[in-house]
Amino acid sequence: MNSIPPLIADLALILVVAGAVTLLFKKLKQPLVLGYIVAGFLVSPNMPLTMSVVDKSDIHTWADIGVLFLLFSLGLDFSIKKILKMGAAPVIAAVTIIFAMMALGSGVGYAFGWTKMDCIFLGGMLAMSSTTIIYKAFNDMGLSQQKFASSVMSVLILEDILAIVMMVMLSAIAGGGTLSGGQMLQSIMKIVFFLVLWFVVGLYLVPSFLRLVRGLINDETLLIVSLGLCCLMAVVSTKVGFSSAFGAFVMGSILAETIEAERIIKLVEPVKNLFGAIFFVSVGMLVEPKILVEYALPIGVLVLTILFGQAVFGSVGFLLSGQTLKNAMRCGFSMAQIGEFAFIIASLGLSLGVIGDFLYPVVVAVSVVTTFLTPYMIRAAVPCYDRLIRIIPRRWLGRVEHSTAGTPETSETKANWSSLIRGMFFTTLIYGILSAAVIAVMFNFALPPLRLLSTSLTGSHWAGNAVCGVLTLLLIAPFLRAIIMKKNHSEEAKALWTENHLNRYPLLFTMLVRTVIASAFVFYIVTYLTRFSAGLIIALVVAVITVMVLSRGIKKRSITLERRFVRNLQSRDVAARVHGDRRPLFEQHLLDRDIHIGLFTIPEDSEWAGKSLKDLKFRNRFGVHVSSIIRGVQRINIPTGSSVLFPNDKIQVIGDDEQLSNFGKSMNAEIYKEDPNIEKHDMKLRQLVLSGNSQFIGKTLSESGIRDKYNCMVVGVEEGQEKLTMISPSRKLCKGDILWVVGEDDALAKLIENA
């Protein structure tokens, strides 16, 4: 008798139950994540009345793959440039919320007498709001075009990134069993080093590789290449001491900067959905009813902790970041739930064996409750604000609103110094890490075989050392030159140099410091590979640095490397702005802070389709301006009144929150309703024989009115041939003509009756 492996049977059970439950949740307009969790609860061994999964270990292996692809997809939605362009406001809000909620969550855990690691991991779980749930809630409630929604999404992006870092830190804490400052600092430095190294090298190599093979690659090969790179980086990440999920996220972030990113996202989506579903089902399998009953009080307390904690500390965080009190409360109330990352952090704690088995189902239960309450919390923000402003004194309200109105810009000199120092710091950090990585690779992988070869040929390893040293210096020369020379001729440096003679001394000092840093790399290489005297080493270092600075070839290599990197970094943004997938750069320069750009897609059945902007009168009706129309590969900037809209056109509209909201509501409301009698419009082909008394005899087709009066069309005349003959518009109809006519049933019946 044939049999199938338990894994296949388990997979069939999981997918069938998950499909049925998620259809129900879709009908109830609830997040699918909760449906997967409920499905996992139903197929778990904890439910004796239903069929259960046989081999849980295989399911957990698939769930680990699910985490891998979930974070890979998260990385594809993330861009390092987003964080760099956000400024300090989202950082302030995110850091405030995370630290406050971590402290609050840990405090609740300690109050219940849980272990130290349980409390630490619980704090991390409670600090992470759900990007998926909030995004869906905003869409369902029609708030996605509101300005406060974009602020929330910016903070959520930062929270997702900080969650990745938190997972690495929690792994280090769990492995070392200590919270010493030295270990924490070492872990942070290790994370920064490898993050910068992987991003810089990846953003230089991966987009260039995909651009090179663009003519050879199709959807199938692109999917295989992308998932292969994801798994490769996951393996590399584990080799250097991080988690595989961290590596998958990094590779996703690198691929997010390529022009092919949108294709990759669409191709990976089904894979992510499949394995992600298995992961969330495995989450539900860990829920035990008896634990939920036993820990009902902690679950209730944690729900209240999230609701009130995010409402208070979330609002404070956004308030400190510069939001008005009303917007801050709308943002804070929106984040009162936990989701996917809480499950991932809990899975990490279980896999490391540092948290109790009870914590996972408790967190799942808390997530389910807070998810259901998310829309109500969003709606409660404005009423709570209205009550608050009636309670607090007017002078307090004035101070709060004044403090969030923004600070005056610094002087031009301070701004130039700030920009210059920041640029020099990041340049030195990035190129310094690249140089250190090249030295480490050369000394660990190239030096041993070179020494072995040199010893076999000359009887000494010094020749191998010399060759390795020269090759290493040649490889890092463009990086060291950039450390010394980059930003010396920037606009900020020129302005400071000519503005005041006193600025020249600190400028020269920055050059000296960067020269010393570059010289330190050369000094290390020379001292490691040679036994020269100190004076000779110093002279050699000075000579090498001088050659690097003066060499035109090294300068050209440095500029070429940087230009290619910048091109790769900006390619997706440029393509996305052209195709309307991202907002134009000029949005940030709009004079009114309440005005921004909304992107809308004309529905296929829209009443606006086929009408010109002049006829639609958007400016008079809504007070908005249409800045661009994106139609396929075409982009029409500053369209005129004669420009016509078509179905599926993307239009960029400028206005404030209320104007854009009214515009979106009208666009979705002004559509053609579905015809309830669609069957009556079915087209039929009928034969029409012209008798002697027919009114059409002696008339041409246009004179007969068959098309205009009866809404039918003559497709041909039968003249005894195998094929129908097309009728010339000037040919007059005659007695005995056999016409073949197309039309709707009612129209054909009327035509035949009056023929």
Side-chain angles (χ1 to χ4, degrees):
M1 180 176 178
N2 294 330
S3 62
I4 60 174
L7 177 62
I8 305 300
D10 290 341
L11 183 61
L13 176 62
I14 286 175
L15 294 182
V16 169
V17 176
V21 175
T22 51
L23 285 174
L24 175 62
F25 273 64
K26 190 74 174 177
K27 178 70 175 178
L28 298 175
K29 297 183 179 181
Q30 296 300 324
L32 297 185
V33 172
L34 296 182
Y36 293 136
I37 294 174
V38 172
F41 181 72
L42 294 176
V43 301
S44 70
N46 302 317
M47 290 291 290
L49 301 179
T50 59
M51 295 180 63
S52 303
V53 168
V54 177
D55 194 342
K56 293 178 63 176
S57 61
D58 282 339
I59 299 301
H60 288 309
T61 300
W62 283 44
D64 292 338
I65 300 175
V67 174
L68 207 69
F69 290 144
L70 280 173
L71 292 180
F72 179 60
S73 297
L74 176 65
L76 286 170
D77 291 329
F78 162 76
S79 172
I80 187 66
K81 299 190 296 297
K82 290 181 182 178
I83 303 300
L84 298 178
K85 293 177 181 178
M86 283 177 186
V91 177
I92 294 173
V95 171
T96 302
I97 294 170
I98 288 176
F99 276 99
M101 292 304 297
M102 285 188 69
L104 198 59
S106 300
V108 172
Y110 280 116
F112 283 109
W114 297 343
T115 66
K116 182 176 69 174
M117 295 307 299
D118 284 338
C119 295
I120 293 174
F121 273 80
L122 177 64
M125 297 174 209
L126 266 58
M128 297 294 115
S129 298
S130 173
T131 305
T132 303
I133 294 170
I134 295 176
Y135 182 77
K136 182 183 183 300
F138 283 162
N139 281 339
D140 292 345
M141 300 175 68
L143 301 174
S144 57
Q145 297 290 346
Q146 299 286 318
K147 190 175 182 180
F148 88 94
S150 62
S151 300
V152 173
M153 298 309 297
S154 298
V155 172
L156 288 172
I157 291 172
L158 277 172
E159 282 195 352
D160 290 343
I161 307 309
L162 293 175
I164 302 294
V165 179
M166 183 187 299
M167 290 172 60
V168 177
M169 299 302 299
L170 290 174
S171 299
I173 294 172
T178 178
L179 291 172
S180 66
Q183 183 192 19
M184 296 289 288
L185 181 61
Q186 183 180 1
S187 299
I188 292 173
M189 292 177 63
K190 185 178 179 181
I191 293 172
V192 172
F193 177 84
F194 281 103
L195 268 179
V196 174
L197 177 63
W198 288 338
F199 273 119
V200 174
V201 175
L203 287 174
Y204 182 82
L205 295 178
V206 174
S208 300
F209 167 73
L210 293 178
R211 189 180 293 113
L212 181 66
V213 300
R214 186 175 299 163
L216 304 174
I217 207 163
N218 57 20
D219 286 350
E220 181 180 356
T221 53
L222 183 60
L223 174 63
I224 299 302
V225 169
S226 302
L227 296 182
L229 290 173
C230 167
C231 295
L232 174 63
M233 183 57 77
V235 173
V236 172
S237 178
T238 56
K239 294 295 184 183
V240 298
F242 299 135
S243 67
S244 58
F246 181 66
F249 171 81
V250 171
M251 181 51 66
S253 302
I254 293 171
L255 290 174
E257 303 301 340
T258 64
I259 296 179
E260 290 79 9
E262 302 300 333
R263 286 178 63 194
I264 296 173
I265 291 173
K266 292 178 181 179
L267 293 172
V268 172
E269 187 77 10
V271 181
K272 180 206 72 171
N273 290 340
L274 172 62
F275 287 99
I278 295 175
F279 166 71
F280 289 116
V281 168
S282 70
V283 170
M285 290 170 59
L286 294 175
V287 178
E288 298 185 28
K290 63 178 182 180
I291 290 183
L292 298 183
V293 174
E294 181 181 353
Y295 288 87
L297 177 60
I299 290 172
V301 172
L302 289 174
V303 168
L304 295 177
T305 300
I306 293 173
L307 297 180
F308 289 101
Q310 287 285 8
V312 175
F313 293 112
S315 300
V316 170
F318 282 100
L319 195 64
L320 293 176
S321 70
Q323 296 285 338
T324 62
L325 180 59
K326 183 176 182 179
N327 277 348
M329 292 184 66
R330 297 183 75 183
C331 294
F333 278 59
S334 301
M335 301 182 69
Q337 77 294 117
I338 58 175
E340 341 37 88
F341 262 112
F343 307 144
I344 295 174
I345 293 174
S347 298
L348 174 66
L350 281 180
S351 64
L352 296 174
V354 295
I355 65 173
D357 294 337
F358 72 92
L359 195 55
Y360 207 129
V362 166
V363 169
V364 171
V366 171
S367 174
V368 171
V369 176
T370 54
T371 298
F372 279 117
L373 295 177
T374 294
Y376 302 101
M377 288 294 293
I378 295 175
R379 294 190 185 98
V382 175
C384 289
Y385 167 77
D386 294 336
R387 293 183 181 180
L388 183 62
I389 60 175
R390 290 196 298 265
I391 296 174
I392 63 176
R394 288 290 179 184
R395 65 177 185 276
W396 290 11
L397 181 61
R399 290 176 182 176
V400 169
E401 298 292 356
H402 178 71
S403 66
T404 59
T407 56
E409 294 186 359
T410 59
S411 66
E412 185 177 352
T413 301
K414 290 183 178 180
N416 285 335
W417 272 117
S418 176
S419 175
L420 183 63
I421 296 301
R422 185 169 58 251
M424 289 179 176
F425 171 77
F426 283 111
T427 298
T428 304
L429 176 66
I430 292 172
Y431 286 114
I433 289 176
L434 288 175
S435 301
V438 170
I439 293 172
V441 170
M442 292 297 293
F443 284 5
N444 285 282
F445 298 101
L447 183 57
L450 287 173
R451 280 180 170 176
L452 183 62
L453 179 62
S454 174
T455 302
S456 63
L457 294 177
T458 65
S460 173
H461 67 273
W462 294 112
N465 284 13
V467 173
C468 181
V470 172
L471 291 176
T472 304
L473 289 173
L474 289 175
L475 289 173
I476 69 173
F479 306 146
L480 298 185
R481 189 188 187 282
I483 291 175
I484 299 172
M485 302 301 295
K486 185 70 175 173
K487 292 292 183 179
N488 288 346
H489 301 288
S490 63
E491 295 299 325
E492 297 90 343
K494 291 178 181 178
L496 292 170
W497 184 272
T498 57
E499 178 185 276
N500 193 330
H501 289 284
L502 296 178
N503 289 336
R504 298 183 179 182
Y505 297 106
L507 287 172
L508 292 173
F509 179 73
T510 60
M511 294 178 61
L512 177 62
V513 170
R514 288 178 288 138
T515 302
V516 170
I517 293 173
S519 300
F521 285 99
V522 181
F523 185 84
Y524 174 77
I525 294 171
V526 176
T527 54
Y528 187 87
L529 297 176
T530 69
R531 295 294 182 267
F532 295 156
S533 62
L536 183 58
I537 291 176
I538 293 174
L540 190 58
V541 170
V542 172
V544 170
I545 293 296
T546 304
V547 170
M548 288 180 180
V549 172
L550 299 179
S551 173
R552 291 184 176 273
I554 295 176
K555 177 181 179 181
K556 184 178 180 180
R557 284 173 56 200
S558 178
I559 294 174
T560 302
L561 290 172
E562 184 170 345
R563 284 179 177 174
R564 178 175 293 185
F565 177 81
V566 172
R567 178 189 176 191
N568 291 342
L569 190 63
Q570 296 178 345
S571 58
R572 185 188 180 189
D573 276 353
V574 174
R577 287 197 297 270
V578 171
H579 295 123
D581 297 324
R582 289 199 181 164
R583 299 170 187 248
L585 294 176
F586 70 82
E587 183 185 20
Q588 58 186 320
H589 299 296
L590 291 173
L591 297 178
D592 192 338
R593 290 186 303 171
D594 293 330
I595 293 179
H596 56 104
I597 293 179
L599 182 65
F600 300 87
T601 301
I602 303 298
E604 292 184 355
D605 51 357
S606 174
E607 295 179 2
W608 295 356
K611 297 181 181 179
S612 66
L613 296 180
K614 181 180 179 180
D615 296 332
L616 292 169
K617 300 179 180 179
F618 289 151
R619 187 180 305 177
N620 296 333
R621 294 172 59 191
F622 308 107
V624 300
H625 303 268
V626 178
S627 61
S628 298
I629 300 175
I630 299 96
R631 182 177 302 142
V633 296
Q634 295 180 322
R635 182 184 180 93
I636 305 170
N637 290 327
I638 319 300
T640 63
S642 60
S643 298
V644 178
L645 295 181
F646 292 95
N648 294 320
D649 276 355
K650 295 179 182 178
I651 56 175
Q652 291 182 336
V653 184
I654 301 176
D656 59 27
D657 283 344
E658 183 179 358
Q659 292 168 342
L660 294 178
S661 177
N662 292 335
F663 180 88
K665 290 177 181 177
S666 296
M667 182 187 70
N668 293 322
E670 297 179 25
I671 59 176
Y672 293 105
K673 305 301 181 183
E674 185 176 353
D675 190 348
N677 301 313
I678 189 67
E679 296 83 2
K680 293 184 177 181
H681 298 293
D682 188 24
M683 300 280 283
K684 302 291 180 62
L685 178 66
R686 293 285 186 269
Q687 186 186 69
L688 176 64
V689 180
L690 299 184
S691 61
N693 58 353
S694 174
Q695 61 171 317
F696 300 140
I697 295 176
K699 298 180 181 179
T700 63
L701 281 180
S702 58
E703 293 172 346
S704 68
I706 293 177
R707 176 189 290 270
D708 300 331
K709 182 178 179 180
Y710 296 100
N711 197 30
C712 296
M713 181 177 67
V714 178
V715 297
V717 60
E718 186 175 321
E719 295 181 341
Q721 300 177 1
E722 184 177 350
K723 295 183 179 180
L724 294 178
T725 303
M726 299 293 292
I727 300 181
S728 171
S730 60
R731 178 186 181 281
K732 292 187 177 182
L733 301 176
C734 303
K735 177 183 176 181
D737 280 347
I738 302 175
L739 306 180
W740 288 91
V741 188
V742 169
E744 298 177 7
D745 279 335
D746 293 342
L748 288 172
K750 184 178 180 182
L751 173 65
I752 294 173
E753 180 183 350
N754 294 280

